[in-house]
Amino acid sequence: MRDSLLLLAVVVGSYLAAHVIFERFAKRFALVSGAEYLVLGVVLGPQATGVLTPDTIESFQPLITLGLGWIGALVGARFVLSVLVRTPAIRYRIAISEAAVTMVATGGCAYLVGARLVGLPDEIALLVAAGLALTSLPASSAGLEVVEQGTAARDPVVRQVSVSTQMLAGIASAGLALLFALVHDSPTSLPRRLVPTEWFVVTIAIGLVGGLLFHLFVGDERKADRVFVSLAGVIVLVSGAASSLRLSPVFAAMVFGVILGNSRTNRTVMLTALARVERPFYFALLIFAGALWEVPAPAALPIAAAVLLVRPLARVGGGGLAARANAAVDELGPGWGRALIGHGGFALILAMDYLLQGTLPEGGLVFATVVGSMILTDVGSVRVLQSVRVFR
């Protein structure tokens, strides 16, 4: 009974936050932040008051998995093929170049500090560095929703940031799913051990099967409520199957979302149903994320500090290098990468995915690093994007 009341309070609070805080406060004052909900989760969690005990959080695991899958499906649904092919190739080159610089800088720094300063074994240091590099990739897209109005939507910086955030989310999610596959152990019940490539294909197949089942049984449905319930059921199936196999529920659901986003039948109804609870799920996950947070071991703090310092520098430097390499400095300005400093909620989703996967090393460190980065960078992400547009 107590857990049910807590769940009700989290859901109601998330709905109020989504409709009151974001839609009114954020757009009026050009501020986007989820730090307050993270702090609320910390206060409610085992590290403070203990209202959300470890057993209570464990009982909410199916809801957390559903939330991870739902956000993953929403991100995947934005990869619409007809829109992607119309986007100039230079946008993708700039996004991928900037992503490469950020990954190399954050991952390389994390590995050097972990292996040389902290003394982690090389294999562990490599896995931790890969996890930190991938979770450092996403950038906040919430600022775009506030800024992207009227003529701002046609601004070259806004267009580039929109393409970059989408590409960064896709690369980071796919990379994390591949990392899960690399460390995956095959069950003894299988006739032979599956290689990492096969586990990655299994993750994709889970999303594809979910999309096939949805279109087979619900593809022609027009009533929004029935579509919504069916979507929830399929996302539970997709994310639950991936999670039970110790694969990435976020990436499996993203594959499912790509199928939805490119559907030719009642696509608008499906996307509207998906978006209906995006922000409530997001704010609820922030609260649970705060409850899951733990203080990293003192020996691991240098790794977190190094990533928190290097990531913003890599964003700015990588953006400038990408613009110069693609002859886009005049259009974007040398400092456009500052608009990608905000870490965003999807990075936290991936960090939760890493933490809950359970077999990768230093999950608490990776998770705590992303939480710290989000708190430090997200509040001013809208104003930074506005300043880049004005002063480029």
Side-chain angles (χ1 to χ4, degrees):
M1 182 66 179
R2 175 177 175 272
D3 289 353
S4 299
L5 291 175
L6 283 173
L7 177 59
L8 179 62
V10 169
V11 170
V12 171
S14 299
Y15 267 101
L16 290 175
H19 291 292
V20 177
I21 301 298
F22 183 86
E23 293 183 3
R24 296 184 182 179
F25 183 81
K27 291 186 178 181
R28 180 176 179 181
F29 297 102
L31 292 173
V32 175
S33 175
E36 57 271 32
Y37 305 103
L38 285 169
V39 173
L40 176 60
V42 173
V43 171
L44 295 176
Q47 301 295 315
T49 62
V51 174
L52 292 174
T53 64
D55 289 340
T56 301
I57 298 171
E58 181 67 25
S59 70
F60 288 154
Q61 183 66 44
L63 177 65
I64 296 174
T65 301
L66 173 60
L68 296 178
W70 202 283
I71 301 299
L74 270 164
V75 173
R78 296 183 178 121
F79 285 88
V80 181
L81 184 59
S82 59
V83 176
L84 294 177
V85 297
R86 291 198 305 267
T87 302
I90 189 174
R91 302 288 181 205
Y92 298 125
R93 292 199 301 269
I94 293 173
I96 293 172
S97 300
E98 195 280 335
V101 172
T102 301
M103 283 193 65
V104 170
T106 56
C109 181
Y111 172 75
L112 290 175
V113 173
R116 301 292 180 264
L117 181 62
V118 177
L120 294 176
D122 281 349
E123 183 179 352
I124 301 298
L126 277 173
L127 290 174
V128 173
L132 287 168
L134 290 167
T135 53
S136 293
L137 271 186
S140 176
S141 62
L144 290 172
E145 300 177 43
V146 178
V147 173
E148 208 171 43
Q149 300 171 1
T151 58
R154 296 188 294 273
D155 185 274
V157 172
V158 173
R159 293 202 307 270
Q160 181 59 55
V161 172
S162 179
V163 171
S164 293
T165 52
Q166 185 178 15
M167 293 298 297
L168 292 170
I171 293 170
S173 183
L176 200 62
L178 182 58
L179 186 63
F180 289 178
L182 287 172
V183 301
H184 202 288
D185 289 328
S186 294
T188 56
S189 58
L190 293 177
R192 67 173 180 83
R193 186 177 185 273
L194 298 184
V195 299
T197 303
E198 291 172 318
W199 281 119
F200 187 69
V201 171
V202 168
T203 310
I204 296 174
I206 292 172
L208 291 176
V209 170
L212 176 63
L213 291 174
F214 183 84
H215 280 289
L216 184 61
F217 294 105
V218 197
D220 296 327
E221 181 60 61
R222 301 293 178 180
K223 293 186 178 180
D225 291 340
R226 292 183 180 179
V227 171
F228 179 82
V229 172
S230 300
L231 277 171
V234 176
I235 293 175
V236 167
L237 175 65
V238 169
S239 59
S243 180
S244 65
L245 291 173
R246 297 293 183 183
L247 299 171
S248 172
V250 178
F251 184 66
M254 183 181 291
V255 174
F256 170 65
V258 171
I259 296 174
L260 293 184
N262 291 277
S263 173
R264 295 185 179 181
T265 58
N266 66 346
R267 174 176 174 271
T268 302
V269 176
M270 291 187 292
L271 296 186
T272 301
L274 265 179
R276 184 187 299 178
V277 293
E278 174 186 9
R279 291 193 188 106
F281 260 133
Y282 171 59
F283 288 123
L285 287 172
L286 284 175
I287 294 173
F288 286 123
L292 287 167
W293 176 82
E294 295 180 358
V295 179
L301 289 178
I303 304 176
V307 172
L308 291 177
L309 176 64
V310 169
R311 181 184 176 273
L313 298 176
R315 282 293 190 216
V316 178
L321 289 173
R324 287 185 175 87
N326 291 278
V329 175
D330 292 340
E331 181 185 31
L332 300 176
W336 77 273
R338 288 186 292 128
L340 300 177
I341 288 178
H343 213 151
F346 192 67
L348 188 66
I349 298 299
L350 294 181
M352 291 181 73
D353 198 8
Y354 186 103
L355 177 68
L356 298 175
Q357 199 265 354
T359 60
L360 286 165
E362 298 293 344
L365 168 64
V366 173
F367 183 71
T369 302
V370 174
V371 169
S373 178
M374 185 177 174
I375 291 174
L376 292 173
T377 63
D378 276 23
V379 174
S381 59
V382 179
R383 295 191 182 278
V384 170
L385 177 54
Q386 290 174 330
S387 70
V388 172
R389 289 176 55 230
V390 171
F391 295 109
R392 67 178 184 276

